[in-house]
Every structure is written in structure tokens, then in C-alpha cells.
Amino acid sequence: DRALDATLAVRPRHLPSVVALLRQMDMLQGSGLRLANKVRECVRAPTLVVFGGQALDAADASTACFPPALEHAVAKAIAAQLEAIGAEVGFSSASAGSELLFVEAMLDRGAEVHLFLPFSEADFVRHRVAYAGSRWERRFRSACKLAASVTFATDEAYLGHDALLRFNNHLIQGMAQAQAQLNLTQPHLVLAWDYAADSREGSAADFMDSWPDIGTLHLIDLDELRAQQPPTPDSGPGQAVAAA
């Protein structure tokens, strides 16, 4: 028992070995060998997490969903949710705001991260990152460097087609579900969501509508986090995004 407990306590886990062990257990049980309940219960399948979320508000945003002042609270909420789930492998895009906060939280956990960009990197930075300032651009470059993989839904330019954002979400979901099948598990969806945010193609709300299993959906309510923030004189919708 002590040897088993010590082995299971090692972090981060070597996931290919975990999956191989689970397959061997299934094979042995299928052959009629009885395994101790503790062994089977303790060796859990890898925990895969898909993330979708609200981008940081632009300076001219008409509605405050994710103001810059909320960054710390969102980062803390994401880290807490990942800890509660036991996240080990993540799938996400990398827009300024909650997506990059998710990537950073996963990397801080020593977890594996796979990034998916909906169009060319230059256009992605131009439309989804640069508006938030140079600090977020540096974080984006770091995320791409440290990710296990970076996949492009297309290498074409954005050209204002939000359908590319929806297609990228479908790609993320499909790749995560395929990987989950190989890892004998089911993926979770974590969303940093706001009921008042735009629900157009590729949004967090659009992602939630296409998710097949509500039992594996976990919401981080941005409205609730904003309500917990102390008011500031310049915390209105048009608050400028810090570029530091």
C-alpha cells in the first residue's frame, strides 16, 4: 500500500504510462483476473480540459465584461477551477484575456497545453492580442513557445470572418474528444463566461451551446467576479487597456 500511495503521489504524472497501465488493467480484468478495488480507483485516467472564454475588453467596449482590473480575479478563479478538476492536459486558443490566463495557469501546474489559432499568426496577434497592449503580446509569444503544440485552423488571413472562430472552437473540441478517447476519459469544458457578452460565432456562449455534455461543463461567472470587485473611479466600460 505504501509503495502504491508513493507512486500515485508523483506529480506531474507521466500520462502515457498511466494510460498504458489502465489498458493493462482492462486486459487483465477481461481475462478474469480480479484486481483490488483500491488499485483501480486510485489510477485515474488523465484529466483533459477544453477552455473557452471572454477576451479582455477593448478600450472602446460598450459593455464591461472583462475589464483589465478583473485580470487577477479571473486568473485566480481559473487556477482554482483547474485545481478542483485536476487538469493535466489543456486545449485552447490564445486571445488576450481569459484564454491566455488559462494557458498560463496550466503551465504553472506543469500541465500539457495544446494551442489552436483560427487564422494566420500575424492576423491573430493583430486582431486578438495586440489591442490589449505589449504585455499581452509578450505573454502570447511565451505561450506559443511553451505549448506542447500550436495548430492553425487555417493559415489564411482573418478578413472579418467570425466563422473561422467558430470553426476553431469545433477543431479544439474535436481534437480534445479524440485525445480523450485515446486516454480512456472524457474532456471537461471550462468557460469564463458572461451573460451580457456578445454571443456571436466563436464566442464563449457559442462554444457552450455546442458542448455535448452539460455534466462536464464548468462556468466561471465574470458578472459574479465583477460584482466582488471594489468600485474604482475609472472602472466604466470605456476604461483603457493597460499597455505596460
Side-chain angles (χ1 to χ4, degrees):
D1 282 358
R2 289 183 180 179
L4 176 61
D5 291 340
T7 301
L8 296 174
V10 174
R11 294 291 184 275
R13 300 192 301 167
H14 185 254
L15 300 184
S17 296
V18 172
V19 174
L21 178 57
L22 289 171
R23 292 189 183 281
Q24 288 172 351
M25 287 181 177
D26 287 341
M27 180 182 66
L28 291 171
Q29 287 184 312
S31 300
L33 180 64
R34 184 175 180 181
L35 297 176
N37 290 335
K38 180 179 180 180
V39 174
R40 184 68 195 196
E41 291 171 0
C42 289
V43 185
R44 63 177 177 84
T47 303
L48 277 61
V49 178
V50 173
F51 185 85
Q54 187 66 29
L56 198 72
D57 289 347
D60 60 353
S62 58
T63 302
C65 293
F66 189 169
L70 203 62
E71 178 184 335
H72 177 71
V74 175
K76 185 177 179 180
I78 291 172
Q81 185 63 76
L82 297 181
E83 178 64 23
I85 295 172
E88 296 175 289
V89 183
F91 302 80
S92 176
S93 191
S95 297
S98 61
E99 290 175 351
L100 278 175
L101 292 178
F102 165 77
V103 174
E104 291 171 350
M106 289 291 286
L107 293 172
D108 285 346
R109 293 175 57 81
E112 180 181 311
V113 180
H114 300 276
L115 296 182
F116 295 80
L117 304 184
F119 33 80
S120 72
E121 182 173 331
D123 253 21
F124 186 83
V125 171
R126 184 178 302 114
H127 293 283
R128 306 291 294 180
V129 181
Y131 77 92
S134 58
R135 182 170 67 95
W136 286 94
E137 285 195 56
R138 290 194 295 271
R139 293 163 83 169
F140 169 78
R141 304 293 182 193
S142 177
C144 290
K145 184 181 297 185
L146 296 174
S149 68
V150 180
T151 301
F152 291 86
T154 174
D155 58 4
E156 301 298 327
Y158 174 37
L159 301 178
H161 298 310
D162 286 345
L164 292 177
L165 301 176
R166 172 180 280 179
F167 177 68
N168 196 55
N169 285 349
H170 289 331
L171 178 61
I172 293 172
Q173 180 176 326
M175 292 296 288
Q177 289 175 333
Q179 189 68 24
Q181 288 183 350
L182 292 174
N183 285 273
L184 308 176
T185 187
Q186 292 292 328
H188 296 259
L189 174 63
V190 175
L191 285 180
W193 171 84
D194 187 282
Y195 76 95
D198 195 333
S199 58
R200 66 174 183 263
E201 291 178 309
S203 65
D206 186 47
F207 209 149
M208 179 167 55
D209 288 342
S210 68
W211 190 253
D213 182 6
I214 194 171
T216 56
L217 171 64
H218 311 270
L219 293 179
I220 296 171
D221 190 338
L222 297 182
D223 180 58
E224 182 178 306
L225 293 180
R226 287 197 308 274
Q228 296 170 1
Q229 291 291 105
T232 59
D234 58 350
S235 60
Q239 180 184 356
V241 172

